[in-house]
Amino acid sequence: MDLLMDIKQIQFDYMENRIFTIDDLKIYRGNRIGVVAPNGSGKTTLLKMLNRDIYPGKGTIQTYGTIALMEQQASPNFSPLIDEKQRKILNIPTNYPELSGGEATKLKFLEVYSKFPDVLLLDEPTAHMDIQGRQFVIDQLKHYYGAFILVSHDRYLLNRLVEEIWEIQNQKIIKYTGNYTEYKTLKDLEFKQAKENYFNVQEEKLRLNKALSEKKRLAATVTNKKNKKEFRSKPGRMTKSKDTAAKSLHKAAKSLEKRIKRMDDVFLPKEKQSINFDSKKIKEIHTKYPIMIDYLDIKCGDKLLIKNVSLQVKLNKCVSITGKNGSGKSTLLKTIFSNFEGVNISKKAKIGYFNQNTHHQFQDDNRLTILEYCKLKSDYDEHYLIEILDRVNFKGNDLKKKLSQLSGGEATRLALLLIFVQDYNILLLDEPTNFLDIETIEVVEDFILKYPGTVVCISHDFHFIEKISDVIYYIEGKKLIRK
């Protein structure tokens, strides 16, 4: 295999914070690498550093080929060099100013992929993409002649494509062989072994402390006998012998103390606390189907998106809807939320609606902190709110942060959390996993599975949909079809 990148002794800091260090990493032709870590750990920074957009404080990066980066936040370049056949396969309109988020991502991928670099650096290459787009990315990368490094929250994509996972953990990059599922298996095994090791260490500490107490007792006994002997007679062979024995016991005790002190560095790994929602916090609905639609056409202006929609959402179940970009999924959800003519909603329904603009509600509020706002909006007590905020990675001083200071990702996490802790008995969720890291997505899955109300969710994430859904629909040929 050809060596394409050689990365050594890297130290990358931002202001006074250490982002990550790298001792020695090599990238060869044919490598398929996935990068995972919580948001804010440095995944995008790593890609930008490898692309030479930013530079580490220490270390060297040797490059032996061409590199191209697909940035998550950048807009398409509208390159005329992209393959026209591929553009049509992906249904990317030629009227570029009107591109949806998914269509823009498809175009960005084509622009970078068409350069055929030796190393492809891909930052969330399937964000907002529909199933067709995701499959296209998989098909193109599966047999790519170079290497690629893929930052993604899409577990299906990581399972289908990567053969090695880099995890940014405690400011270091740890390598795991295998795809995402195999990585998770190894992480679970690590956790189990760490837990077993902790209890074994505690058992050994108990044994050593008993031995230490015994050594100290014996040393004290020998010393006392020696002192009494010296008091009654002149020093002799017996006194010297006891002196040597006392020193030996004290030395053994010191050795035991050092061994016990080293064991203080072994900690019990923290288990994720299970979160349960109180069904008494939401108004009970007695209707068997709190949402019903009978043969309704879903339109955007005069444009027909879905015809003759017939949908019955069963009480306290989760219904997921998927389909191509622009097929009408979000418009259908908005139609339900607005209780449009032809939509029958239970009179006792209180609907919480999350979409990609929900987080903008915080940007002008410089009065309240995260915790203060949650207490204002929710009937749950402060202790519970602190626990559930911790689950979506708001910890310690984060809780004192003003709402106006939140980044886009933080505001999205908070807006999504608040949907679950208010008194809504029906939730409408439009792409709730976009821009979340995998760890937070798994928390949202747990929230939905534990939620005591009814959920209608739109998503392109295969893994997410399969995990949360009681019923799945897809939109195809302007029809809503039950899977």
Side-chain angles (χ1 to χ4, degrees), residues 213-255:
S213 297
E214 182 62 15
K215 295 286 185 193
K216 286 181 175 179
R217 186 188 67 78
L218 287 172
T221 301
V222 170
T223 301
N224 288 336
K225 285 183 178 179
K226 171 178 168 285
N227 291 338
K228 286 178 183 177
K229 185 82 174 177
E230 286 178 344
F231 181 74
R232 291 197 300 265
S233 63
K234 292 181 180 180
R237 188 177 296 172
M238 286 294 290
T239 305
K240 288 180 181 178
S241 173
K242 286 179 180 177
D243 191 43
T244 303
K247 285 181 179 178
S248 177
L249 287 166
H250 280 300
K251 187 176 180 181
K254 287 284 185 187
S255 177

Side-chain angles (χ1 to χ4, degrees), residues 394-405:
F394 288 114
K395 307 171 189 292
N397 288 331
D398 292 338
L399 305 184
K400 300 175 184 176
K401 191 178 284 189
K402 300 289 186 184
L403 296 177
S404 58
Q405 297 173 332

Side-chain angles (χ1 to χ4, degrees), residues 37-39 43 72 124 152-154 354 356 392 408-414 416-417 431-445 461 464:
N39 287 343
K43 301 187 295 294
Q72 180 182 345
E124 297 290 357
S152 180
H153 68 264
D154 187 335
F354 174 87
Q356 290 306 305
V392 292
E410 289 172 328
T412 299
R413 275 186 282 137
L414 181 59
L416 189 54
L417 167 74
E431 294 286 1
T433 63
N434 276 352
F435 306 117
L436 299 182
D437 55 57
I438 294 175
E439 186 178 324
T440 307
I441 291 173
E442 289 172 350
V443 171
V444 174
E445 287 172 352
D461 187 327
F464 179 72

Side-chain angles (χ1 to χ4, degrees), residues 122-182:
L122 303 167
D123 195 354
E124 297 290 357
T126 57
H128 301 293
M129 269 197 202
D130 54 28
I131 294 169
Q132 180 197 33
R134 276 176 161 80
Q135 192 56 50
F136 179 85
V137 170
I138 290 168
D139 292 341
Q140 300 309 305
L141 294 180
K142 207 162 185 68
H143 304 291
Y144 190 66
Y145 86 106
F148 63 77
I149 301 178
L150 171 66
V151 169
S152 180
H153 68 264
D154 187 335
R155 292 161 290 180
Y156 179 79
L157 191 75
L158 292 169
N159 274 335
R160 292 292 303 275
L161 286 175
V162 309
E163 297 167 356
E164 184 176 311
I165 295 286
W166 291 0
E167 181 192 43
I168 303 176
Q169 180 188 130
N170 299 324
Q171 291 84 48
K172 290 184 179 293
I173 295 179
I174 314 295
K175 290 167 61 175
Y176 295 86
T177 300
N179 62 18
Y180 181 77
T181 297
E182 290 163 335

